[in-house]
Amino acid sequence: MRRFASNKDRVQPKQPAAGRAKPAAVPAVALDPLEQGDDVDDDEFASDDVEDIFNYDDSKMSDEYEYKEPPTASQELLEYNQVLEKWLGMNTQDHLPVLELLQHMNTQGVRPTRSSFELALRICAKHADPVMAREVLKLMDTFELPRIGIDYMCAITAHADRVDRVRRGEDTTTVPSGNPSAIDAWTRETIDNAFSVYDELRMRGFVPNVTTCIKLLSLASLAIDVEERQAKVRAL
């Protein structure tokens, strides 16, 4: 298995040291989205709600939302994180194999860091992928990386925005369209999962921002136990 670079070999992004091998290529399926290049219209996919979450700040966690690696970070790690940053800025409805990339990094001897996972969860939020968000959170435990408030808020956003898209009819693939009972069952399950994330967020002492609370209240309004869930959020 490959080892991390020594301090003398570590360099800044896009400045690989002479004679230094590139990290093993990510499987083709993982790099396909990058073929869109710089023609992607990032602004078209921008979400004010998501930006509100990303810009969230708290006095006791003032530096936790800066996904930066230290100067000693290996070139391989920086390059993999650059792939994640590229995906974060993409306007696509296609599946982005974020989880697969994180796992691939590890098989290549490049351990994903907190910044890698924060980028991954931001992608989950932007692309409203609740399943991948939950899997990314689980993978963080595998690497024994601490979760912070922004991680949970990104996961909650992924759940809330996917529910919104399904119920508006904008997403007809997650749940078969024209099947109200299936949509209702899926919605209830997704709401349960979102509030499980919320419960853990609160248990660990974090407080969601206003945007996340609004999303939670919106989800609660669709739940069977509406008053109980709304009361839980309003108690903040």
Side-chain angles (χ1 to χ4, degrees):
M1 181 176 289
R2 304 182 56 183
R3 301 294 182 184
F4 281 90
S6 63
N7 287 335
K8 66 179 181 180
D9 289 330
R10 287 169 176 158
V11 292
Q12 294 301 315
K14 300 182 181 178
Q15 297 177 359
R20 185 176 167 75
K22 291 280 186 179
V26 180
V29 64
L31 290 180
D32 283 344
L34 292 180
E35 293 177 359
Q36 297 186 30
D38 296 329
D39 296 332
V40 174
D41 183 2
D42 297 345
D43 293 336
E44 183 180 344
F45 197 74
S47 166
D48 291 339
D49 285 348
V50 172
E51 287 305 315
D52 285 346
I53 292 172
F54 292 173
N55 294 331
Y56 174 68
D57 190 17
D58 186 282
S59 59
K60 65 181 179 180
M61 301 182 290
S62 58
D63 296 322
E64 289 181 333
Y65 310 107
E66 299 286 337
Y67 50 91
K68 298 177 182 178
E69 294 295 350
T72 55
S74 71
Q75 177 68 15
E76 292 97 329
L77 174 61
L78 293 171
E79 289 174 350
Y80 280 119
N81 282 356
Q82 285 171 359
V83 173
L84 290 168
E85 287 186 39
K86 182 75 173 181
W87 288 350
L88 179 59
M90 288 177 62
N91 174 16
T92 178
Q93 297 300 318
D94 296 333
H95 170 71
L96 294 174
V98 172
L99 192 66
E100 293 89 333
L101 178 61
L102 294 172
Q103 294 168 332
H104 177 77
M105 289 171 66
N106 191 49
T107 62
Q108 297 302 313
V110 183
R111 183 183 174 86
T113 61
R114 250 226 57 86
S115 61
S116 306
F117 279 97
E118 182 175 329
L119 282 164
L121 286 163
R122 288 170 183 259
I123 293 170
C124 294
K126 184 173 182 179
H127 295 274
D129 193 331
V131 175
M132 185 163 67
R134 294 196 302 274
E135 290 302 316
V136 171
L137 288 175
K138 290 178 183 177
L139 193 58
M140 290 184 75
D141 292 339
T142 301
F143 288 99
E144 299 181 341
L145 291 171
R147 300 177 188 172
I148 58 176
I150 190 66
D151 302 330
Y152 295 108
M153 289 190 288
C154 284
I156 291 169
T157 295
H159 286 74
D161 288 359
R162 181 55 56 181
V163 167
D164 186 60
R165 293 183 190 184
V166 168
R167 297 189 71 83
R168 286 174 179 269
E170 297 172 3
D171 173 6
T172 58
T173 58
T174 299
V175 185
S177 58
N179 190 336
S181 60
I183 292 176
D184 287 344
W186 173 86
T187 299
R188 287 193 297 271
E189 180 181 0
T190 305
I191 290 172
D192 288 342
N193 290 331
F195 271 86
S196 292
V197 174
Y198 170 71
D199 288 340
E200 185 175 341
L201 175 151
R202 296 293 291 132
M203 181 183 68
R204 297 200 179 193
F206 298 111
V207 179
N209 64 355
V210 173
T211 301
T212 307
C213 288
I214 291 173
K215 290 182 180 295
L216 285 164
L217 289 171
S218 176
L219 288 175
S221 68
L222 300 172
I224 295 176
D225 51 344
V226 177
E227 294 183 0
E228 179 181 344
R229 295 193 187 243
Q230 288 185 339
K232 181 183 292 187
V233 179
R234 290 190 175 117
L236 292 175

